[in-house]
Amino acid sequence: MPADPAVSGISAPSSFVIGPEAGDSHSHAAFPHVPKAIIKVSSRVRVTHAVGQGLNFFAIQVNFPNRTWAHGGPQRVSGKYQMNWGGLVSRGGGATDYREENPASDLQLMQNAGDAERSAPYTWVEGKDYELTIERGNQVTLPPGQYIFIGSGPTVSVSNARNMWEWKFTLRPADGHGPVQVSTLYDAADRISSFYIWNECGYGSCGKRQSARWSMPVYSTLDAPGKSVPAQVLTRF
């Protein structure tokens, strides 16, 4: 997870491009001035170019006030099409968050789904619009037991019950024609404090004109859960 960018922006259009056509090399967009008590955020993406090697990831990232974060979106990984919805504890951002995982303590803050749900196959199509939504569900109690924090990490014995919130990621075609994929992770935080939108490359895909058009995100808050509010300003970083 990158560090927060400086809060200085321009009035945003209804959509924006991340990629060479934007005339800007930055791969991330932040949305300053949104409230810090968000329970739902959504955007549409149309991937216009992804490559058949390495990682291509087009995602919304949400940041929780307890130092955890999660990202969700369509991926093309070494030619394989899938989705991903998972998160970590921030320990400075970027590779550090992965390298310095501490499953025993991290499990008190967040619980990822198993890999079959977290990175499920999803055959998305370049040039087609998809809607990405992250929203809070019910508060649940996870009983004591044996848990894996994320991926192929170690199995950890958790001795206490954990009260956590469902955070659901949904990926669906914007036109309603095609599969809908839902994945859930659990977090002790009851709200989102900020969010980003980004394109990510890696493992041989960088510098190959990866590109996507995004709609300006809309969000709902704890105080007005039934009201969708469009973000007004974006900054690139």
Side-chain angles (χ1 to χ4, degrees), residues 126-142:
E126 286 187 27
K128 184 178 175 72
D129 290 356
Y130 292 87
E131 183 176 76
L132 286 61
T133 303
I134 298 166
E135 59 187 322
R136 196 186 74 177
N138 296 321
Q139 189 176 33
V140 300
T141 299
L142 303 182

Side-chain angles (χ1 to χ4, degrees), residues 6-31:
V7 178
S8 61
I10 58 173
S11 295
S14 60
S15 67
F16 60 97
V17 172
I18 297 178
E21 297 89 343
D24 188 308
S25 61
H26 293 102
S27 59
H28 291 60
F31 305 90

Side-chain angles (χ1 to χ4, degrees), residues 39-43 45 57-62 64 70-75 82-86 113 117-120 122 124 130-137 166-172 180-186 214:
I39 58 170
K40 181 179 180 180
V41 60
S42 181
S43 179
V45 64
F57 193 6
F58 308 90
I60 301 175
Q61 175 179 318
V62 294
F64 299 105
H71 54 212
Q75 292 182 324
Q82 61 186 45
M83 55 75 66
N84 181 274
W85 171 233
E117 178 180 343
R118 185 177 65 89
S119 296
Y122 189 88
W124 55 273
Y130 292 87
E131 183 176 76
L132 286 61
T133 303
I134 298 166
E135 59 187 322
R136 196 186 74 177
E166 297 173 329
W167 287 96
K168 297 182 179 182
F169 172 76
T170 303
L171 175 61
R172 71 176 79 236
V180 177
Q181 185 70 38
V182 180
S183 179
T184 302
L185 61 75
Y186 303 89
W214 292 89

Side-chain angles (χ1 to χ4, degrees), residues 29-48:
F31 305 90
H33 316 313
V34 300
K36 296 185 180 298
I38 294 167
I39 58 170
K40 181 179 180 180
V41 60
S42 181
S43 179
R44 291 187 177 188
V45 64
R46 179 189 303 158
V47 177
T48 52

